[in-house]
């Protein structure tokens, strides 16, 4: 049996390379793609690719050289930045499902608590010399949270929410889960789920079927004082409709971690509406998964998924190509 050639195209530091080598050295030849000579040969000989952002790691003519590659493992969780149309049709692509779930769930809770407790507004009043000791905030216990996208991030968020006594309404593609939730359904149940929720968390991948899932109509289904936190992708929510809803419903609050134009996917940060000028918006620069341990954990899980692929084990996070073309 010939050894499997794994080509790492992501730029990694020595600590992350050590993690990959420790996991795969017994089952594969691991090579790290350099910036210059030998690239064509390395790509042509690769059976498995480990990538972070393929659009930046390959030139367009290099995709044609992937004639042996059958599996690409991403370090990132999503695949909306992946140029599927340029890949061989036989190339299976898997995301790093759940690798960043823990820190992202904490970020969701931080945003939810900050918004429900009016921390931004309280701080602003103190700066202005106002000591509003009797200004009301919200108690999470007894409230209901709808989690749109019930994979690793959604499940980790549900665990934290339940610790605060919050009921969970989950939405995924199958309408089934082994988790202890108060409701599980699909996007067909969206009107009912959004109407019942005090908190809505968006943690689903961006694909053809989820782009623009929440627009002006869906926002009107939500409670006028609901909290919406998006740690997934900006394009799942209609940008203009979202801004207008926040502007016209001051009691409605939003935690925005995922934006519509971001440096990783678009090479720049750009907003088309002044979200950050609104008092009912709390923003962060899509860093919900960025804790010191995150990349090491993500690299370990990516290497383990590659090993499962090579040994006939269960591979997680495989994307349906037709959802991204």
């Amino acid at each position: 049996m010939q050894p499997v050639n794994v080509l790492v195209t992501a730029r990694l530091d020595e600590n992350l390379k050590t993690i990959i080598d420790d996991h795969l050295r017994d089952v594969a030849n691991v090579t790290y793609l350099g910036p210059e000579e030998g690239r064509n040969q390395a790509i042509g000989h690769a059976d498995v690719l480990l990538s972070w952002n393929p659009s930046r790691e390959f030139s367009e003519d290099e995709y044609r050289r992937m004639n042996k590659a059958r599996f690409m493992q991403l370090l990132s969780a999503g695949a909306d930045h992946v140029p599927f149309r340029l890949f061989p049709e036989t190339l299976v692509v898997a995301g790093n499902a759940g690798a960043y779930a823990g820190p992202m769930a904490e970020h969701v809770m931080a945003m939810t608590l900050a918004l429900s407790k009016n921390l931004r507004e309280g701080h602003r009043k103190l700066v202005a010399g106002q000591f509003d000791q009797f200004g009301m905030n919200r108690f999470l216990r007894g409230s209901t949270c709808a989690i749109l996208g019930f994979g690793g991030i959604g499940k980790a968020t549900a665990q934290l929410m339940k610790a605060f006594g919050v009921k969970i309404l989950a939405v995924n593609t199958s309408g089934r889960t082994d988790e202890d939730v108060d409701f599980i359904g699909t996007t067909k149940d969206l009107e009912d789920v959004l109407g019942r929720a005090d908190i809505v968390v968006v943690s689903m991948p961006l694909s053809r079927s989820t782009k623009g899932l929440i627009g002006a109509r869906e926002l009107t289904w939500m409670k006028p004082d609901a909290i919406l936190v998006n740690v997934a992708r900006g394009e799942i929510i209609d940008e203009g409709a979202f801004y207008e809803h926040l502007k016209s419903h001051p009691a409605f609050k939003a935690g925005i971690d995922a934006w519509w134009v971001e440096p990783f996917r678009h090479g720049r940060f750009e907003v088309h509406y002044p979200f950050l000028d609104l008092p009912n918006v709390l923003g962060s620069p899509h860093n919900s998964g960025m804790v010191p341990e995150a990349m090491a954990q993500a690299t370990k899980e990516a290497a383990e998924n590659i090993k499962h692929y090579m040994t006939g084990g269960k591979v997680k996070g495989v994307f349906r190509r037709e959802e991204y073309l």
Side-chain angles (χ1 to χ4, degrees):
M1 180 178 176
Q2 285 209 326
V4 174
N5 296 317
V6 175
L7 178 63
V8 181
T9 67
R11 294 183 181 180
L12 305 176
D13 62 30
E14 292 305 315
N15 291 331
L16 299 183
K17 289 180 180 179
T18 299
I19 292 172
I20 293 170
D21 293 338
D22 288 347
H23 276 77
L24 298 179
R25 67 159 56 96
D26 293 336
V27 293
N29 293 326
V30 179
T31 304
Y32 296 87
L33 188 64
E36 297 174 2
E37 60 182 85
R39 288 179 62 91
N40 289 342
Q41 184 177 4
I43 295 169
H45 286 171
D47 301 295
V48 175
L49 301 162
L50 175 56
S51 303
W52 176 256
N53 190 344
S55 296
R56 297 189 181 184
E57 293 160 16
F58 298 100
S59 62
E60 285 216 13
D61 64 310
E62 287 177 332
Y63 295 115
R64 295 194 297 269
R65 302 186 183 279
M66 297 177 182
N67 45 21
K68 274 190 70 184
R70 292 293 178 267
F71 184 70
M72 174 182 281
Q73 174 65 50
L74 298 174
L75 281 167
S76 59
D80 49 283
H81 61 292
V82 175
F84 282 90
R85 62 182 179 81
L86 299 175
F87 288 169
E89 290 188 9
T90 52
L91 184 66
V92 175
V93 180
N96 211 347
Y100 309 92
M104 290 181 72
E106 287 188 0
H107 200 90
V108 169
M109 287 306 308
M111 283 191 145
T112 302
L113 286 166
L115 291 165
S116 65
K117 302 303 178 183
N118 295 325
L119 296 187
R120 181 181 176 184
E121 178 67 9
H123 180 85
R124 186 193 65 77
K125 286 182 178 180
L126 285 173
V127 171
Q130 295 177 252
F131 199 86
D132 186 11
Q133 184 174 3
F134 299 103
M136 291 295 176
N137 60 63
R138 289 168 58 174
F139 194 32
L140 287 190
R141 182 167 298 278
S143 61
T144 298
C145 177
I147 301 178
L148 311 184
F150 207 59
I153 300 164
K155 292 173 183 177
T157 298
Q159 289 179 356
L160 296 183
M161 287 283 181
K162 285 193 287 186
F164 284 83
V166 177
K167 298 176 183 177
I168 303 299
L169 313 178
V171 170
N172 62 13
T173 54
S174 68
R176 300 187 301 274
T177 184
D178 294 330
E179 300 291 313
D180 180 20
V181 296
D182 297 277
F183 173 82
I184 178 70
T186 68
T187 53
K188 292 180 180 179
D189 303 296
L190 199 58
E191 183 173 4
D192 176 59
V193 166
L194 292 180
R196 294 164 59 189
D198 302 291
I199 306 157
V200 175
V201 176
V202 182
S203 57
M204 57 177 44
L206 174 64
S207 66
R208 291 179 66 182
S209 59
T210 63
K211 186 175 182 180
L213 180 69
I214 298 177
R217 180 186 62 165
E218 289 74 21
L219 289 165
T220 63
W221 294 341
M222 297 177 63
K223 295 180 179 181
D225 61 347
I227 293 171
L228 189 154
V229 177
N230 185 6
V231 291
R233 291 292 185 269
E235 295 95 320
I236 295 171
I237 304 174
D238 182 280
E239 185 180 8
F242 196 29
Y243 175 79
E244 292 301 330
H245 191 81
L246 285 161
K247 188 177 178 181
S248 61
H249 295 75
F252 189 101
K253 297 178 181 178
I256 306 175
D257 183 53
W259 299 82
W260 292 265
V261 180
E262 298 185 351
F264 181 77
R265 293 182 293 143
H266 308 100
R268 68 193 188 282
F269 172 55
E270 182 178 298
V271 288
H272 305 112
Y273 301 86
F275 284 96
L276 296 172
D277 292 341
L278 297 175
N280 50 342
V281 170
L282 179 63
S284 58
H286 209 161
N287 66 336
S288 54
M290 292 296 101
V291 298
E293 304 85 358
M295 278 307 299
Q297 182 63 27
T299 302
K300 177 183 176 182
E301 295 195 22
E304 289 176 351
N305 211 34
I306 289 173
K307 197 167 186 177
H308 290 160
Y309 171 78
M310 292 165 50
T311 58
K314 184 178 180 180
V315 177
K316 66 179 183 179
V318 173
F319 295 105
R320 294 173 55 208
R321 181 185 180 94
E322 60 271 21
E323 280 285 339
Y324 297 90
L325 288 174

